[in-house]
Amino acid sequence: MRVALIGFMGSGKTTIGRLLADSLACAFLDLDEEIAKSAGASPAEIFRVSGEAEFRRQESAALRRSSEIPGNMVLACGGGVVGAAENRRILREKFAAVWIDVPLQEIYRRLSADSGGRPLWSSAGAVGVAECGVDQRNEALYQARLPLYRECAALCYRWQPSETPTTSAVIIGRLLRGYVPF
Ligand code: S3P
């Protein structure tokens, strides 16, 4: 099975993806890592030096390349991959996309401890970001993405507070076992 994990920044796609790939005994790819390998720079550096449009171009190219690699895999995608219509088509047609749905409040909790070099997550402490408007910006991005995740997802896993990455991976594995593409 070819699985893509989608969802907002901080939803746990990479951590859960590695565990899920182990349990399915298949390859694991992380789209941000694929971009970094081919660009020789991290996503945050690409944003800083060349801007978001260039990052999106590289992200779409990396998704296309990953979709052409044969065999079973789990692909953890960056939160913004769903922005481009062509990426959404690839996710729908070439993968079983699983949306990891985590409430914004929990995303705040996770990213306030570690924003992990995420240029699109506005934190009050970030250089150049005025304190005022930070929450609205994150909320607007989160809300704008929800219908896009919904549009690509074959399955939705709604995270519950009692669940760890390990239990999340087990639950997603179970959902996938019952999933029949049509
Ligand atoms: C982005 C999410 C990041 C990374 C880039 C842009 C986004 O990945 O691709 O900073 O637009 O949401 P994660 O979702 O793994 O944080």
Side-chain angles (χ1 to χ4, degrees):
M1 185 170 276
R2 298 168 63 77
V3 178
L5 299 183
I6 59 173
F8 203 71
M9 292 173 261
S11 58
K13 298 166 299 239
T14 301
T15 311
I16 295 172
R18 282 186 207 287
L19 295 164
L20 182 64
D22 275 356
S23 75
L24 298 174
C26 71
F28 172 74
L29 284 185
D30 182 87
L31 205 57
D32 279 348
E33 273 175 28
E34 295 305 304
I35 297 165
K37 265 195 256 164
S38 79
S42 72
E45 284 164 38
I46 301 171
F47 263 80
R48 190 169 45 77
V49 174
S50 312
E52 181 173 357
E54 173 58 18
F55 174 77
R56 295 301 171 201
R57 199 190 59 72
Q58 297 199 26
E59 184 176 52
S60 295
L63 178 64
R64 196 171 349 94
R65 284 196 306 275
S66 306
S67 76
E68 286 160 3
I69 298 171
N72 293 337
M73 69 162 78
V74 174
L75 174 69
C77 297
V81 74
V82 293
E86 172 63 6
N87 293 352
R88 297 199 294 278
R89 185 192 66 77
I90 291 174
L91 288 166
R92 275 197 312 270
E93 293 181 5
K94 307 278 187 196
F95 293 92
V98 180
W99 172 21
I100 303 182
D101 184 13
V102 176
L104 185 58
Q105 200 187 359
E106 171 66 11
I107 299 286
Y108 264 100
R109 203 188 58 77
R110 295 179 188 183
L111 297 190
S112 65
D114 171 26
S115 71
R118 291 176 172 96
L120 290 184
W121 179 256
S122 310
S123 70
V127 178
V129 177
E131 187 120 5
C132 159
V134 160
D135 288 349
Q136 290 93 315
R137 209 179 309 206
N138 290 327
E139 167 93 31
L141 186 63
Y142 183 88
Q143 292 300 338
R145 294 236 175 114
L146 294 181
L148 304 178
Y149 296 134
R150 214 168 275 134
E151 183 186 323
C152 311
L155 293 169
C156 173
Y157 157 65
R158 192 154 290 147
W159 174 83
Q160 302 296 322
S162 61
E163 288 159 9
T164 64
T166 304
T167 52
S168 298
V170 170
I171 294 167
I172 293 171
R174 277 192 208 129
L175 289 173
L176 285 166
R177 271 198 293 281
Y179 168 69
V180 183
F182 62 91

